[in-house]
Amino acid sequence: MLYKINTYGCQMNVHESERIAKSLENLGYSLATEDNYDIIVFNTCCIRDTAEQKILGHIGKLKKIKRANPRLIIAIVGCMTAQNGKAQELLKKYPFIDIVLGANNLEELENAIINLQNKHKKTISVPMDEKPQIPEDIEYTRTSMPNAWVNIMYGCNNFCTYCIVPYVRGRERSRKPEAIIKECEQLVKDGYKEITLLGQNVNSYGNDFAEKSIDFAGLLEKLAQIPGDHRIRFMTSHPKDLNEKVIDIIAKYDTLCKNIHLPIQSGSNSILKAMNRHYTRENYLEIVKKIREKMPLCGITTDIMVGFPGETEGDFEDTIDIVKQAKFSGAFTYIYSPRKGTPACEMEQIPYDIKSARIQKLIKVQNQITKELSKNYEGNIYRVLVEDVKEDGNLCGRTDCGRLVTFAGDKAFVGSFKNIFITKSQSASLFGRITEE
Ligand code: 5AD
Ligand code: SF4
């Protein structure tokens, strides 16, 4: 019996697909290498309409495949399904779907498959329990050695007015520190070299503990002290919650990567207010200044959105201005996409051609900055974790500050740290050679 998982969306989803893989393997399935699978799971995303339309297109194509093979099991899980009324809508449009589970209901997958096989019973389970219990005994089939993801919290309390996440993933729940530390210690023992801590807003880790016994800085400090030759990253940080204590801890420990993903979303104070972000452009620039004072080489990346309802040309120019000032080492740029059920969806929308022109301008400005910053790497040596072999046979990996580097070397080096002398840069990419220095 063979399985296939189609994963859409963020790192959280990529990691949750490792959990889904384990559930399927528990039932005796193994990974399909061709299109001869007996079960296909779509782990979905709904952050933007483009993501949803792409997934719906892929599901639609299964109609023919299911007709040719009625025994094929089709499961749709994750963020998209938990939107209000979506599960019913999916079943109506695609009656050949067998299982629908929300992002908070993944533990039901094994039983859902057993019920389908034994009793021909479909399972549709997308309850939005506000604070579902955090499972601590989750097992994963990890597929990204030498990198591993570790969830430190689930859900989000922020309700940014454009964002669907709090509606489909529920309120913030932090995992117990002991469980996180144990998991990370085991990963290091198992040979993983880079651990990425995951949470929608990692800086509010521990806020939901009644005794307020630990915060994100405290957790980071404990994890930084796990012995071994490895390093730790984390995402995502919220500018309203990233405090000096966290910056000091990152600066203090070599095991903590000098790399912070700090979504700004907009450079306009009135838009930030309308987004419910709880910081101003001045606050944001102040944090960037503090990070750079303590860690001059820290890579700061961001998410930026254009075309939020009410965004004027002046607001957009404020975004361009802050991008020029902050000098991000990389930025994910998005066109605002109205999400049903969120406050911004009810506001007056901006025409698509304006949004489109703005994002093109933004990308151009950021690309120029990335290119200029890349030049600074040339002629210097960086410690890189060798992560993979590229199609052309070269190796690739990332610096501590998150930059991707390509270089020649033995594929046996994957999973080890190497010093790389940077010889050339090309937009965001760096090229170099291994050096013994
Ligand atoms: N439209 C466009 N981009 C969005 N994001 C979140 N919601 C939306 C939306 N409705 C972006 C934000 C966030 C990133 C993960 O996705 O920039 O930081
Ligand atoms: Fe969405 Fe805002 Fe929560 Fe991020 S912090 S998941 S953008 S609501």
Side-chain angles (χ1 to χ4, degrees):
M1 294 195 306
L2 299 172
Y3 72 83
K4 183 173 183 198
I5 303 173
N6 283 357
T7 307
Y8 304 85
C10 62
Q11 296 303 327
M12 191 79 82
N13 267 18
V14 173
H15 184 38
E16 278 167 355
S17 285
E18 295 183 328
R19 176 185 184 182
I20 295 167
K22 184 71 184 175
S23 297
L24 298 175
E25 287 169 17
N26 285 343
L27 292 177
Y29 289 91
S30 44
L31 183 65
T33 48
E34 295 164 40
D35 278 350
N36 53 353
Y37 43 85
D38 304 282
I39 180 165
I40 181 160
V41 181
F42 283 75
N43 190 10
T44 63
C45 170
C46 58
I47 196 109
R48 283 169 287 277
D49 192 51
T50 41
E52 239 181 287
Q53 293 312 322
K54 189 163 115 191
I55 297 165
L56 294 177
H58 290 170
I59 297 175
K61 285 197 187 127
L62 288 176
K63 189 175 176 181
K64 253 176 146 172
I65 303 173
K66 178 95 172 184
R67 202 181 290 144
N69 173 18
R71 292 164 62 96
L72 172 68
I73 299 176
I74 299 173
I76 316 295
V77 307
C79 291
M80 186 174 103
T81 66
Q83 293 172 95
N84 203 2
K86 200 71 181 186
Q88 290 70 23
E89 200 184 300
L90 278 171
L91 281 169
K92 206 167 154 210
K93 199 161 170 203
Y94 311 105
F96 50 86
I97 293 173
D98 300 297
I99 295 164
V100 181
L101 299 176
N104 287 336
N105 313 89
L106 295 180
E107 72 280 1
E108 296 177 44
L109 184 60
E110 286 179 48
N111 271 337
I113 296 169
I114 293 168
N115 281 337
L116 188 70
Q117 287 169 331
N118 295 351
K119 304 182 200 151
H120 301 287
K121 192 171 163 279
K122 288 192 182 205
T123 299
I124 315 301
S125 181
V126 289
M128 265 317 293
D129 187 348
E130 277 285 283
K131 264 191 183 286
Q133 277 275 306
I134 299 188
E136 279 300 1
D137 51 354
I138 301 175
E139 292 182 293
Y140 300 93
T141 298
R142 296 184 185 270
T143 52
S144 54
M145 187 73 144
N147 305 82
W149 289 286
V150 171
N151 247 317
I152 64 166
M153 58 199 299
Y154 299 87
C156 183
N157 284 357
N158 291 311
F159 289 95
C160 301
T161 53
Y162 51 80
C163 187
I164 193 78
V165 169
Y167 304 90
V168 295
R169 285 191 173 267
R171 295 298 65 72
E172 263 170 30
R173 290 95 64 201
S174 302
R175 282 181 67 196
K176 293 270 174 292
E178 309 81 59
I180 299 169
I181 295 166
K182 200 170 136 206
E183 185 175 345
C184 291
E185 283 172 343
Q186 190 57 48
L187 288 167
V188 172
K189 278 189 198 141
D190 291 344
Y192 287 92
K193 298 291 181 196
E194 185 172 291
I195 295 172
T196 304
L197 309 175
L198 296 177
Q200 242 71 46
N201 175 12
V202 291
N203 306 105
S204 56
Y205 173 80
N207 280 359
D208 52 325
F209 293 152
E211 65 278 21
K212 294 275 184 287
S213 50
I214 189 163
D215 59 8
F216 184 56
L219 178 72
L220 266 187
E221 182 147 40
K222 284 192 185 337
L223 296 175
Q225 293 174 36
I226 294 175
D229 184 25
H230 64 281
R231 60 191 192 186
I232 294 169
R233 294 184 194 280
F234 55 87
M235 64 194 296
T236 292
S237 292
H238 194 306
K240 78 176 165 59
D241 297 315
L242 178 68
N243 56 30
E244 247 179 302
K245 206 170 146 197
V246 172
I247 298 172
D248 286 340
I249 296 289
I250 304 169
K252 183 171 166 192
Y253 292 95
D254 283 344
T255 36
L256 300 179
C257 287
K258 309 297 174 264
N259 186 191
I260 300 177
H261 185 60
L262 194 63
I264 182 166
Q265 312 299 0
S266 168
S268 149
N269 282 342
S270 60
I271 295 295
L272 287 171
K273 193 152 192 275
M275 287 176 164
N276 194 31
R277 291 289 288 178
H278 295 282
Y279 56 85
T280 61
R281 55 185 278 125
E282 292 77 19
N283 300 146
Y284 189 94
L285 286 170
E286 192 57 32
I287 304 170
V288 168
K289 195 169 144 217
K290 278 188 188 143
I291 296 172
R292 298 232 162 99
E293 268 166 18
K294 305 238 161 99
M295 300 175 278
L297 297 179
C298 188
I300 305 175
T301 55
T302 200
D303 294 343
I304 313 169
M305 208 185 293
V306 299
F308 184 83
E311 185 186 68
T312 63
E313 209 48 41
D315 293 321
F316 174 64
E317 285 306 325
D318 282 348
T319 296
I320 293 288
D321 177 69
I322 209 160
V323 164
K324 286 180 179 165
Q325 288 195 55
K327 291 203 181 341
F328 299 112
S329 51
F332 297 98
T333 51
Y334 306 107
I335 288 181
Y336 165 73
S337 166
R339 304 284 65 209
K340 223 162 125 196
T342 63
C345 190
E346 308 303 320
M347 302 175 188
E348 198 176 323
Q349 304 295 320
I350 288 187
Y352 186 81
D353 52 343
I354 295 184
K355 294 187 194 178
S356 173
R358 284 181 186 167
I359 198 156
Q360 282 168 33
K361 179 163 182 202
L362 175 62
I363 291 172
K364 222 167 139 190
V365 170
Q366 178 57 41
N367 282 352
Q368 187 57 30
I369 293 168
T370 308
K371 200 170 142 188
E372 282 163 22
L373 291 178
S374 293
K375 282 256 167 276
N376 298 337
Y377 288 77
E378 293 177 5
N380 294 317
I381 296 172
Y382 295 88
R383 191 164 181 258
V384 168
L385 173 62
V386 188
E387 293 178 28
D388 214 349
V389 183
K390 294 174 76 162
E391 269 178 16
D392 63 4
N394 276 319
L395 303 178
C396 63
R398 273 177 305 160
T399 62
D400 172 89
C401 62
R403 280 307 202 96
L404 199 65
V405 188
T406 302
F407 47 94
D410 192 323
K411 63 176 188 299
F413 293 160
V414 172
S416 61
F417 289 97
K418 292 282 172 204
N419 285 337
I420 308 291
F421 176 83
I422 305 298
T423 50
K424 195 175 82 170
S425 68
Q426 216 170 57
S427 33
S429 311
L430 304 177
F431 300 87
R433 61 177 154 76
I434 297 175
T435 168
E436 295 309 319
E437 286 170 65

